[in-house]
Amino acid sequence: MPVQVKGEVLSVKPIGDYYSMTVVASGIAEITRPGQFIAVAVGGDDGGMLLRRAFSIYSVRETGVYGGTVEFIFSVTGRGTAWLSRQRPYDPIDVVGPLGRPFALPREPANCVLVGGGYGSAPLFLLADALRTRGCRVDAVLGASTGDRLFGALDAKRMAASVAFTTDDGSYGEKGRVTDVLPEVIDRVHADVVYACGPMAMLEGVQRVAGAAYGGAGIPAQLAVEESMACGVGVCMTCVLPVIGSDDNTRMVRSCVDGPVFAGDRIRWDALGSIPDDAIGSGVEVQKK
Amino acid sequence: MGDVSVTIRQDIGKPRHVSVDMTTSLGPLVVNDPVFTASGCAAAGQELAAFNDLTAIGGVVTKSIQLRPRAGRATPRMAETPSGMLNSIGLQGPGIDVFIKRDLAWLEEHEVTAVVSIAGSSVDDYAKLAGKLRGKPLGMIEVNISCPNVEDRGQVFACDRNAAAAVVSAVRRAAPSGVPVFAKLSPDVTNIVDIAKACVDAGATGLSLINTTLGMVIDTTTMRPILAGVTGGLSGPAIRPMALRCVWQVHEALPEVPIFGIGGIRTGLDAFQFILAGASAVQVGTVIFNDPGAPSRISRELREVLASRGLNSLEQAIGMGHREPETIIPEDPEPPGAEDLDIELGVDADEPAPVETVYIAPDVDEVFDIAAEDA
Ligand SMILES: Cc1cc2nc3c(=O)[nH]c(=O)nc-3n(C[C@H](O)[C@H](O)[C@H](O)COP(=O)(O)O)c2cc1C
Ligand code: FES
């Protein structure tokens, strides 16, 4: 069960083009699993910004001098994140979490490739820890538009057996996209599963590569999506995307509680941002029986 | 001196067990607390149970349900606006049958008062929905008439007195007897009192005021509307004055009709304004996205607001804003130093007197009933 905590800022620091914020919020760290996120209120109790901002959890510390802490990475993209970047140690901050369904972990030791785009790589580090604890091999592919927008290069080098970097402008690592190097990595490390987090377009590409691996046999991909969310807790229905259920029917499901992690082959990539005609309740659907 | 004063203020402002009777009547439905969640902002309650004791608030108004499953509108469905938001969800939901089996059953099992919001695209849809609720565990039916009528070129029921009345009377006839029927009105009309009267004449037990008001936002980078549905419903504190005005006008015209006050309620003081304007209970919506624990918090704050004004029942405050205030103005001036304190804690001078600065009657025991609660 998620909790709502009136916490306190412990630190805010710039990292490349991003910020890292650590908050003291006891009760969240203890139950966080890789891939889950927090929803942070911005602008203060009397402010005009009502919607919480959702962030993947980058790291947690269960106990410390100050109690449990949670760290997340953000980019200043609007007034809410600008406000966050101006917070200082001891400022109060209201955090709800941990939210959402975490990454599914392999039962047996497996070879795992972790793919991150921009600061989308943030949740992959908790995941890498969990995978390695289970005896999995971890390799990583990190990409971004520029070198300053790569997140976690050092962490990745420390925890992964190998790391490939790509940037759109070639300022760091190979020039190109993560999907340009991913097929080679999958073959080289004999990958059993791909995990990814980043922009939707990247995730779609990762799914395409994973689905085509080993001459079309394909390997599973666990993808953490980024949909815009108003509540983060499942009550507003703003964060939906079309997903195929175990009964083969497509439904509009909430990425905040039914995700953010989905099996890549379950997402209707052809219909993102729309209601496909065959979705249950579209008004024109022909339901599969 | 500052320190001493702050201590006093904090003491006065502290949550304490104050004995205020929060009972309120919505027609035949009598509840122990006047704070409900608003339709579409709490799903069917389950998710909010992690943050609120749903049995301690008035109840949950469920997301408007239709006859058949609905996938809703395309995304983006939401945009943040100053002190509010726009939404165009398109009433996504599982349909009434699954709703009854799954969601209504959950609410019953957890002893949460359920107000079932229904929505249709024809008068017949509404009647069928109400009929399906016969014999089911619910406290009230709320009729969301802010929906397009497919039989009248998509004209919204809530914007036409005859269409609104037709829906309400069909629901009243088909609904389980003894279950109150509230009509939820749209503020996007020329004369809300006119629509309110039509609904009451057609058999509505009470009125829910208000639904969202239509708005839009354009993305200046793409130069296109942000919402996939182009326009959306505006909600949140941005619409509070408009909502309050609607409650005021309707209560003035129909003082005997119970009203749910809805629109931008964020704090106990906001809820209190609606009670003073004539609402018998309130619903909180958008604020839940900001603070999932808001329903419980607002209920607690409202209790404190009433206590600090020497009111020992919610009922006596309903519509009080319409009456001459002799009975509520304390005779003694504010305690000395109160002004300094305001400055110190940064209380907004424009806000109505917050709990902390209110004059406390000398007979504290009578106001707070501390002895009784401690025993
Ligand atoms: C995301 C969202 C969904 C809503 N869905 C419904 C709905 O299904 N039925 C309804 O009657 N009102 C719906 N409303 C309107 C609210 O119940 C309420 O009347 C309105 O938002 C004003 O209150 P607020 O400012 O406290 O949110 C919705 C509002 C929001 C923000
Ligand atoms: S963000 Fe509100 S339901 Fe997902």
Side-chain angles (χ1 to χ4, degrees):
Chain A
M1 285 267 247
V3 289
Q4 180 176 9
V5 187
K6 309 262 180 213
E8 202 173 77
V9 175
L10 186 64
S11 70
V12 190
K13 37 180 206 272
I15 301 184
D17 273 6
Y18 306 120
Y19 287 88
S20 139
M21 179 180 272
T22 304
V23 298
V24 181
S26 58
I28 296 180
E30 294 80 344
I31 53 174
T32 293
R33 288 156 68 197
Q36 289 188 300
F37 66 95
I38 51 175
V40 181
V42 294
D45 284 350
D46 301 322
M49 289 182 280
L50 295 175
L51 306 183
R52 281 179 184 256
R53 294 346 188 219
F55 304 101
S56 303
I57 297 171
Y58 165 57
S59 77
V60 292
R61 198 176 281 249
E62 290 187 18
T63 48
V65 201
Y66 315 98
T69 62
V70 177
E71 183 178 5
F72 60 96
I73 309 301
F74 63 97
S75 168
V76 172
T77 53
R79 291 170 54 227
T81 40
W83 180 87
L84 272 179
S85 73
R86 291 193 304 270
Q87 299 309 292
R88 291 296 166 257
Y90 307 113
D91 284 347
I93 192 145
D94 185 315
V95 184
V96 173
L99 296 165
R101 281 157 68 140
F103 287 111
L105 305 179
R107 234 170 257 122
E108 304 292 327
N111 297 336
C112 307
V113 178
L114 277 48
V115 184
Y119 68 101
S121 56
L124 300 179
F125 302 100
L126 273 181
L127 173 66
D129 283 345
L131 291 170
R132 293 205 311 174
T133 306
R134 291 181 170 227
C136 294
R137 175 190 163 115
V138 171
D139 293 89
V141 180
L142 301 187
S145 50
T146 67
D148 284 344
R149 310 211 117 231
L150 276 171
F151 177 76
L154 274 179
D155 282 351
K157 284 180 187 161
R158 201 167 47 235
M159 73 181 197
S162 76
V163 195
F165 296 101
T166 65
T167 48
D168 294 352
D169 65 354
S171 57
Y172 194 96
E174 275 188 49
K175 183 172 160 75
R177 299 280 162 102
V178 290
T179 42
D180 297 335
V181 302
L182 184 56
E184 183 273 319
V185 176
I186 289 175
D187 284 339
R188 174 167 52 82
V189 307
H190 305 291
D192 300 304
V193 53
V194 175
Y195 291 91
C197 181
M200 280 303 213
M202 182 201 94
L203 297 181
E204 183 175 4
V206 168
Q207 171 54 30
R208 212 176 311 114
V209 172
Y214 304 125
I219 53 173
Q222 287 272 306
L223 311 178
V225 305
E226 292 176 352
E227 271 289 342
S228 78
M229 299 180 182
C231 75
V233 300
V235 295
C236 74
M237 310 301 284
T238 61
C239 62
V240 299
L241 75 174
V243 171
I244 305 164
S246 49
D247 60 358
D248 286 345
N249 281 312
T250 296
R251 290 180 182 75
M252 300 304 292
V253 309
R254 297 165 294 180
S255 57
C256 65
V257 289
D258 302 312
V261 178
F262 292 98
D265 60 354
R266 292 283 158 190
I267 295 176
R268 286 286 301 271
W269 301 102
D270 62 308
L272 283 184
S274 73
I275 311 290
D277 284 354
D278 57 350
I280 291 186
S282 71
V284 291
E285 81 273 20
V286 188
Q287 230 173 285
K288 289 185 194 145
K289 274 278 159 308
Chain B
M1 115 120 228
D3 286 349
V4 175
S5 342
V6 167
T7 313
I8 293 169
R9 282 180 51 107
Q10 286 180 340
D11 182 48
I12 295 172
K14 248 198 201 123
R16 53 171 101 192
H17 290 285
V18 285
S19 161
V20 179
D21 183 356
M22 300 293 276
T23 308
T24 191
S25 309
L26 299 159
L29 176 66
V30 179
V31 286
N32 294 331
D33 189 89
V35 178
F36 288 67
T37 62
S39 180
C41 302
Q46 285 98 317
E47 294 84 356
L48 291 187
F51 310 101
N52 300 274
D53 176 359
L54 297 175
T55 61
I57 60 167
V60 167
V61 184
T62 55
K63 168 98 191 149
S64 295
I65 197 77
Q66 297 178 290
L67 278 175
R68 280 167 293 278
R70 274 281 288 271
R73 288 209 190 89
T75 53
R77 293 178 165 183
M78 166 278 278
E80 192 174 54
T81 61
S83 292
M85 68 177 281
L86 290 167
N87 86 82
S88 98
I89 309 295
L91 298 185
Q92 177 171 349
I96 185 85
D97 295 329
V98 171
F99 168 80
I100 289 172
K101 243 189 311 192
R102 187 186 67 193
D103 301 331
L104 206 49
W106 186 91
L107 290 165
E108 182 186 29
E109 187 191 328
H110 292 83
E111 296 174 7
V112 181
T113 300
V115 174
V116 177
S117 169
I118 57 173
S121 30
S122 68
V123 173
D124 192 46
D125 278 2
Y126 283 98
K128 283 201 182 111
L129 285 159
K132 292 219 180 218
L133 291 168
R134 281 180 185 254
K136 298 297 183 294
L138 73 164
M140 177 190 294
I141 294 176
E142 183 176 85
V143 194
N144 173 5
I145 53 174
S146 297
C147 302
N149 179 0
V150 293
E151 288 163 356
D152 186 17
R153 292 162 293 132
Q155 158 91 324
V156 174
F157 293 102
C159 298
D160 178 86
R161 67 191 318 280
N162 296 326
V167 170
V168 170
S169 77
V171 170
R172 182 64 280 173
R173 273 197 308 275
S177 61
V179 171
V181 171
F182 271 48
K184 183 166 179 183
L185 305 191
S186 161
D188 295 343
V189 294
T190 318
N191 185 346
I192 193 145
V193 171
D194 189 40
I195 309 276
K197 282 182 173 157
C199 290
V200 170
D201 290 345
T205 321
L207 300 161
S208 298
L209 305 171
I210 57 175
N211 213 316
T212 53
T213 178
L214 220 51
M216 71 180 292
V217 193
I218 293 180
D219 182 328
T220 49
T221 307
T222 65
M223 301 186 273
R224 295 280 301 148
I226 287 183
L227 297 177
V230 181
T231 61
L234 180 64
S235 63
I239 67 166
R240 191 193 307 141
M242 177 198 248
L244 194 65
R245 180 268 295 171
C246 291
V247 170
W248 178 276
Q249 289 179 331
V250 172
H251 180 72
E252 195 158 59
L254 302 165
E256 304 306 321
V257 176
I259 295 174
F260 256 130
I262 318 163
I265 295 173
R266 192 172 189 178
T267 66
L269 283 171
D270 300 339
F272 188 48
Q273 286 198 60
F274 280 84
I275 302 295
L276 293 172
S280 297
V282 296
Q283 295 176 16
V284 300
T286 305
V287 67
I288 293 173
F289 307 160
N290 178 258
D291 175 10
S296 296
R297 172 179 57 77
I298 290 169
S299 156
R300 191 174 66 239
E301 289 172 353
L302 178 58
R303 181 188 292 266
E304 286 161 20
V305 168
L306 290 165
S308 66
R309 280 149 182 77
L311 298 165
N312 49 32
S313 79
L314 173 88
E315 242 153 28
Q316 89 194 83
I318 298 171
M320 207 175 208
H322 292 261
R323 302 191 283 275
E324 284 299 316
E326 349 71 72
T327 51
I328 47 170
I329 289 189
E331 279 161 31
D332 294 346
E334 293 234 306
E339 274 170 38
D340 301 352
L341 305 177
D342 275 358
I343 292 158
E344 269 187 40
L345 287 193
V347 172
D348 187 342
D350 289 335
E351 282 283 319
V355 181
E356 295 89 345
T357 56
V358 161
Y359 173 67
I360 301 292
D363 191 357
V364 170
D365 279 358
E366 196 179 301
V367 178
F368 290 107
D369 214 347
I370 290 167
E373 287 288 330
D374 283 352

